């Protein structure tokens, strides 16, 4: 191992919002030496999903730094002032911002953080003695700790995988190039916010005027995001602390109950879609055109290619009947899933990974492993099963980053003492799994 190799206290792999937050908060800590590497040429955040009018589902105050360090110069408010649009923003009276503006904020932050290395994919991570050895395109480095933040991969239905290509694509690639759906019959698969954003853009003819668009969802209806003030209490540090202490069975039940608090469709999007359809059908008189078809409670089970078209088999969850569709192209809004990165192969056997391919995370977001306790493998966006539905969301980004930094430093650089909660969640130590499940069902 070369003595000239640069050494860091923390080396982050992947520069998405979560690792960017750690980079931003750690930059101002004297004596802390961090670096973050990413394969992209510059800061990117789901560029294929930056569609017209697509909006965030969280407040812009839940940015990279504000919740734990409101005076940090990399806050969203600082961004607005720097961009000379603070008064215009306040006059707009917006609860949320567009995904395009949030992506611009992230790029602005990245341009002001000096410990980022873009165009530097990591090939392998080894562990030797008392340090990690990171091999990357631009060279090799050592670090006491690492933080995994390379994100998730597109989730695809099994029957679709053989057909992926220009006419059958995941929505994460949609805005990467010009699209032309003029005169096409399209299927949009997925009933979450991304499916709604794609369907709305098709309604507005952003990519030409399709002959027909069929919006398909496994959910029983096109369901609204649960945006209630009490629901938002799930996205607080206090609830996160309680959740971590629950048994696995109760955690599973809670995440299932809370799904629509993060994965529903905003009421604004649903209203806009419905009003557009109402205008076309009942005002413009396009009742028999068959131009739009909304099909909830359907599961795509088979896909075949016939000449230049695709034949889809859907199972209707209400009737149990099969439905056949013929379409020209598909847009898959089917979300993302975790995958153990290939660069971890040299140390994978040391990591505690469960039967589902998920990291077993400690409370402070480090992966349980059989290496020295003085070296830690932190992971972000990898713990919905352990820390709850708040973990993959942006809501507690700054708090999680501060938790990781405090743990790495061995002292509370950031004050993370819990504020008083509106809701009494209990002690987080259930007497029995059954009792907790019954209580949450309201029996």
């Amino acid at each position: 191992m070369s003595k000239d190799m640069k050494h860091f206290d923390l080396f982050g792999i992947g520069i998405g919002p979560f690792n960017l937050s750690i980079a931003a908060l750690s930059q101002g800590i004297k004596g802390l030496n961090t670096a973050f590497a990413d394969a992209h040429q510059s800061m990117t955040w789901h560029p294929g999903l930056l569609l017209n009018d697509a909006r965030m589902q969280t407040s812009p105050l839940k940015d990279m730094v504000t919740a734990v360090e409101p005076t940090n110069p990399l806050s969203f408010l600082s961004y607005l002032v720097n961009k000379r649009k603070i008064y215009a923003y306040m006059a707009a009276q917006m609860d949320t911002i567009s995904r395009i503006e949030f992506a611009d904020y992230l790029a602005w932050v990245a341009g002001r953080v000096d410990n980022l290395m873009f165009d530097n994919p990591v090939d392998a991570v080894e562990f030797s003695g008392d340090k990690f050895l990171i091999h990357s395109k631009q060279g090799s480095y050592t670090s006491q700790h690492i933080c995994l933040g390379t994100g998730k991969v597109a989730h695809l239905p099994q029957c679709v995988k053989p057909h992926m290509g220009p006419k059958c694509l995941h929505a994460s690639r949609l805005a990467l190039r010009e699209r032309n759906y003029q005169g096409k019959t399209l299927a949009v698969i997925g009933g979450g916010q991304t499916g709604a954003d794609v369907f709305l853009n098709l309604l507005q003819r952003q990519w030409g005027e399709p002959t027909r668009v069929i919006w398909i969802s496994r959910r029983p209806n096109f369901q609204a995001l649960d945006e209630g003030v009490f629901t938002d209490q799930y996205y607080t540090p206090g609830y996160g602390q309680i959740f971590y202490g629950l048994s696995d069975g109760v955690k599973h039940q809670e995440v299932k109950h809370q799904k629509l608090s993060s994965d529903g469709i905003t009421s604004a999007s649903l209203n806009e879609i419905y009003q557009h359809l109402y205008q076309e059908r009942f005002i413009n008189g396009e009742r028999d055109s068959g131009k739009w078809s909304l099909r909830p409670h359907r599961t795509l089970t088979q896909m075949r290619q016939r000449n230049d078209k695709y034949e889809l088999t859907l199972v209707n969850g209400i009737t149990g009947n099969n439905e056949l569709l013929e379409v020209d192209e598909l847009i898959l809004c089917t979300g993302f899933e975790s995958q153990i990165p290939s660069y971890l192969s040299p140390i994978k056997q040391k990591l505690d990974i469960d039967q589902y391919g998920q990291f077993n995370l400690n409370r402070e977001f480090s992966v349980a492993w059989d290496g020295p306790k003085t070296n830690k493998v932190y992971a972000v966006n990898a713990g919905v099963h352990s820390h709850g539905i708040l973990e993959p969301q942006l809501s507690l980004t700054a708090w999680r980053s501060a938790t990781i930094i405090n743990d790495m430093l061995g002292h509370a650089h950031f004050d993370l003492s819990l504020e008083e909660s509106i809701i009494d969640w209990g002690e987080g130590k259930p007497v029995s799994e059954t009792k907790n499940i019954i209580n949450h069902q309201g029996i």
Side-chain angles (χ1 to χ4, degrees):
M1 193 177 296
S2 172
K3 293 182 180 180
D4 298 329
M5 204 174 293
K6 193 164 185 180
H7 181 76
F8 299 97
D9 299 311
L10 175 72
F11 194 97
I13 306 170
I15 307 175
F18 298 150
N19 262 353
L20 181 62
S21 172
I22 298 173
L25 287 171
S26 64
Q27 183 173 248
I29 301 176
K30 188 176 181 179
L32 183 61
N33 189 17
T34 65
F36 298 80
D38 193 276
H40 292 95
Q41 300 289 323
S42 60
M43 183 68 209
T44 60
W45 179 66
H46 296 307
L49 291 173
L50 298 182
L51 307 178
N52 290 345
D53 298 326
R55 304 191 67 78
M56 302 294 293
Q57 294 183 330
T58 56
S59 165
L61 290 179
K62 297 177 178 180
D63 59 19
M64 302 295 95
V65 297
T66 296
V68 298
E69 197 173 53
T71 58
N72 191 297
L74 299 177
S75 70
F76 181 74
L77 287 178
S78 295
Y79 158 81
L80 291 175
V81 172
N82 181 264
K83 291 287 188 175
R84 300 294 184 266
K85 58 180 181 180
I86 181 69
Y87 294 106
Y89 173 81
M90 290 190 291
Q93 300 183 22
M94 298 183 295
D95 294 327
T96 60
I97 61 175
S98 70
R99 292 176 65 92
I100 292 174
E101 185 169 30
F102 185 72
D104 188 61
Y105 161 67
L106 295 179
W108 178 85
V109 172
R112 285 158 175 75
V113 175
D114 58 12
N115 51 359
L116 308 181
M117 296 184 286
F118 290 103
D119 190 25
N120 193 24
V122 170
D123 302 315
V125 176
E126 298 177 292
F127 186 79
S128 177
D130 60 351
K131 58 180 69 71
F132 292 98
L133 176 61
I134 300 102
H135 301 282
S136 72
K137 174 183 175 182
Q138 295 180 18
S140 296
Y141 315 90
T142 62
S143 183
Q144 183 177 356
H145 311 289
I146 59 173
C147 187
L148 313 177
T150 41
K152 301 187 176 185
V153 298
H155 171 74
L156 302 171
Q158 197 63 37
C159 64
V160 166
K161 292 180 180 180
H163 305 283
M164 296 302 293
K167 294 184 178 182
C168 178
L169 58 94
H170 192 268
S172 58
R173 304 194 60 79
L174 188 56
L176 296 181
R177 66 174 181 83
E178 291 293 323
R179 305 286 171 184
N180 183 6
Y181 293 127
Q182 181 72 30
K184 301 290 181 63
T185 296
L186 296 169
V188 177
I189 312 293
Q193 183 65 48
T194 299
D197 290 338
V198 170
F199 186 66
L200 183 57
N201 275 260
L202 290 166
L203 282 178
Q204 296 170 339
R205 280 79 169 176
Q206 295 291 343
W207 304 293
E209 185 171 355
T211 299
R212 191 179 189 213
V213 178
I214 305 145
W215 187 15
I216 299 161
S217 174
R218 288 190 303 175
R219 299 178 186 180
N221 206 337
F222 298 102
Q223 296 173 300
L225 181 72
D226 185 350
E227 302 176 273
V229 292
F230 289 104
T231 298
D232 199 53
Q233 298 304 298
Y234 292 142
Y235 299 90
T236 61
Y239 180 76
Q241 296 284 7
I242 293 293
F243 186 95
Y244 186 83
L246 300 176
S247 65
D248 289 344
V250 175
K251 286 180 179 180
H252 178 76
Q253 286 283 357
E254 289 299 281
V255 169
K256 184 178 179 180
H257 293 159
Q258 298 162 13
K259 186 175 180 62
L260 289 178
S261 70
S262 68
D263 202 25
I265 304 169
T266 62
S267 295
S269 295
L270 289 174
N271 289 344
E272 189 170 1
I273 289 171
Y274 189 91
Q275 290 164 11
H276 190 113
L277 296 174
Y278 177 88
Q279 177 72 25
E280 287 205 355
R281 178 162 292 190
F282 298 107
I283 307 302
N284 298 345
E286 298 181 11
R287 297 192 182 200
D288 301 321
S289 66
K291 188 172 290 186
W292 317 108
S293 178
L294 280 66
R295 300 197 185 190
H297 228 318
R298 268 78 161 188
T299 300
L300 175 62
T301 58
Q302 293 184 53
M303 179 175 175
R304 302 181 187 86
Q305 187 163 7
R306 294 186 181 277
N307 298 320
D308 59 345
K309 295 184 181 295
Y310 298 108
E311 184 181 88
L312 310 181
T313 301
L314 310 178
V315 176
N316 188 311
I318 298 176
T319 66
N321 295 334
N322 286 345
E323 300 174 358
L324 297 180
L325 294 176
E326 189 175 79
V327 300
D328 297 307
E329 301 194 28
L330 283 81
I331 303 173
L332 299 156
C333 308
T334 46
F336 299 86
E337 61 186 2
S338 298
Q339 187 178 81
I340 304 298
S342 60
Y343 59 74
L344 289 179
S345 294
I347 64 170
K348 185 176 179 180
Q349 295 304 315
K350 291 179 173 291
L351 303 174
D352 191 349
I353 301 172
D354 68 18
Q355 60 180 321
Y356 304 107
Q358 302 172 131
F359 294 126
N360 283 318
L361 296 182
N362 296 314
R363 189 180 289 272
E364 74 286 354
F365 302 99
S366 65
V367 182
W369 79 313
D370 64 8
K373 292 183 179 180
T374 51
N375 302 92
K376 295 193 175 182
V377 179
Y378 297 101
V380 293
N381 196 10
V384 67
H385 58 290
S386 57
H387 288 73
I389 203 163
L390 58 83
E391 203 278 335
Q393 308 303 318
L394 288 165
S395 295
L396 291 186
T397 298
W399 171 79
R400 176 181 49 202
S401 298
T403 298
I404 290 173
I405 293 172
N406 281 356
D407 183 69
M408 178 176 55
L409 294 174
H411 65 269
H413 177 85
F414 296 102
D415 181 5
L416 299 182
S417 53
L418 300 178
E419 62 183 50
E420 187 175 351
S421 176
I422 294 293
I423 295 178
D424 180 357
W425 297 109
E427 297 298 322
K429 296 179 180 179
V431 175
S432 71
E433 188 171 310
T434 302
K435 182 177 179 180
N436 275 271
I437 293 173
I438 290 174
N439 286 341
H440 286 293
Q441 289 175 339
I443 296 174

